Amino acid sequence: MLMRLAGERATGALLRDQGTLYLVEGRVVHAESPAAPGIDVLLTAGGALPRQGWQEALSLAGTRNEVGRQLVDSGRVTAGELEMCHLGALFDAAFFVLGPASGPTRFRYGVAHWLGRVRPVDAETVERETRRRRALLDSVWPCPELDTSPVVARPPAPGQTVTGRQDALLRLADGVRTPTAIAWALGRPSFHTLLEVRRLAAAGLVEPPRTPEPARTPFPAPAPVPDDCVEPDVALLRRVRDALEASL
């Protein structure tokens, strides 16, 4: 459906269970997903933009769908900083929106995003990058269950070292937070966190998720013996035995 809309040069919002892609004349101008921190988180968590500055730009230009332009024109961020964070948020959210388990797809024509145009991306590029990222995850550690399971850290082996980014992630691996929850807490793109978790699992620094054991089928209880069971004819059984022994 995305490629068909791109061919139609459609403008509007492509909605799926895991988020939304915003198109202008068939090109993707933004993406949002509850599984991925938005551009506001990426800008403010890294210190490039104070939270107050973001709220101010949203209040002044949100209704005009020009928040991006307002941020640059006010000197809050440079055009390069905005473009870098915008593309990071777009590809990060699109990874989840275009996932195989995202449910039904709908399109609402004419819907615009409040950020405005920053750097539109061809739909084919977004789709190709999503496939590349999924293949990259599987090449590092083929265990999709890691992406949605609580992260449980393991102590490093003697002589094993971790990077500063890995250490910050492992400090939040409390057995409750999932990789996406850790990404929100750190203000990092979710895909990068998924990739780091799989690398940590491959290095033995993260517990693999436990596979639930199949339910055991209990053995059937022996059939009850009827109360009126006839006692065996012992004399008959002895005669049969004697006859068998005589024929041997």
Side-chain angles (χ1 to χ4, degrees), residues 39-58 67-68 70-72 74-78 81-82 85 114-115:
I39 186 173
D40 57 328
V41 176
L42 300 183
L43 281 170
T44 58
L49 175 68
R51 189 72 193 178
Q52 181 181 356
W54 171 264
Q55 292 295 341
E56 179 181 309
L58 194 62
V67 172
Q70 175 67 29
L71 287 170
V72 175
S74 65
R76 294 285 188 181
V77 297
T78 65
E81 288 174 328
L82 178 65
C85 283
W114 43 259
L115 183 66

Side-chain angles (χ1 to χ4, degrees), residues 214-233:
R216 297 182 180 180
T217 304
F219 291 105
V225 179
D227 295 337
D228 58 348
C229 181
V230 179
E231 292 292 333
D233 189 337

Side-chain angles (χ1 to χ4, degrees), residues 5-247:
L5 292 167
E8 295 176 1
R9 298 178 62 84
T11 295
L14 180 69
L15 297 93
R16 303 194 77 191
D17 287 350
Q18 287 298 314
T20 306
L21 297 183
Y22 293 87
L23 280 69
V24 172
E25 297 181 351
R27 305 183 77 193
V28 181
V29 296
H30 199 56
E32 290 181 339
S33 171
I39 186 173
D40 57 328
V41 176
L42 300 183
L43 281 170
T44 58
L49 175 68
R51 189 72 193 178
Q52 181 181 356
W54 171 264
Q55 292 295 341
E56 179 181 309
L58 194 62
S59 299
L60 292 174
T63 57
R64 303 196 310 270
N65 301 326
E66 294 182 349
V67 172
R69 177 179 296 179
Q70 175 67 29
L71 287 170
V72 175
D73 290 348
S74 65
R76 294 285 188 181
V77 297
T78 65
E81 288 174 328
L82 178 65
E83 183 176 311
M84 182 176 63
C85 283
H86 165 254
L87 290 176
L90 187 155
F91 284 114
D92 196 35
F95 175 80
F96 297 97
V97 177
L98 299 178
S102 291
T105 303
R106 305 175 302 280
F107 189 74
R108 294 177 58 190
Y109 286 91
V111 175
H113 193 269
W114 43 259
L115 183 66
R117 295 194 193 191
V118 177
R119 182 175 178 180
V121 182
D122 292 339
E124 183 179 355
T125 300
V126 174
E127 188 176 9
R128 183 174 62 249
E129 176 62 13
T130 298
R131 292 197 302 266
R132 185 193 72 84
R133 292 186 176 204
R134 192 165 292 114
L136 178 59
L137 286 176
D138 289 339
S139 69
V140 171
W141 188 255
C143 183
E145 294 79 11
L146 276 169
D147 300 343
T148 55
S149 300
V151 184
V152 181
R154 280 179 172 174
Q160 189 176 20
T161 59
V162 296
T163 66
R165 288 180 63 85
Q166 290 174 333
D167 182 64
L169 190 158
L170 289 170
R171 289 178 183 273
L172 297 177
D174 54 3
V176 176
R177 293 184 177 94
T178 61
T180 54
I182 292 176
W184 278 90
L186 294 174
R188 298 178 185 173
S190 284
F191 172 78
H192 295 172
T193 306
L194 297 182
L195 185 61
E196 201 66 73
V197 168
R198 293 216 193 185
R199 285 172 175 161
L200 290 168
L205 292 168
V206 163
E207 291 275 358
R210 295 181 179 179
T211 304
E213 295 183 2
R216 297 182 180 180
T217 304
F219 291 105
V225 179
D227 295 337
D228 58 348
C229 181
V230 179
E231 292 292 333
D233 189 337
V234 178
L236 175 61
L237 293 176
R238 286 176 178 171
R239 287 197 299 272
V240 173
R241 184 196 62 187
D242 294 341
L244 290 173
E245 290 178 351
S247 64

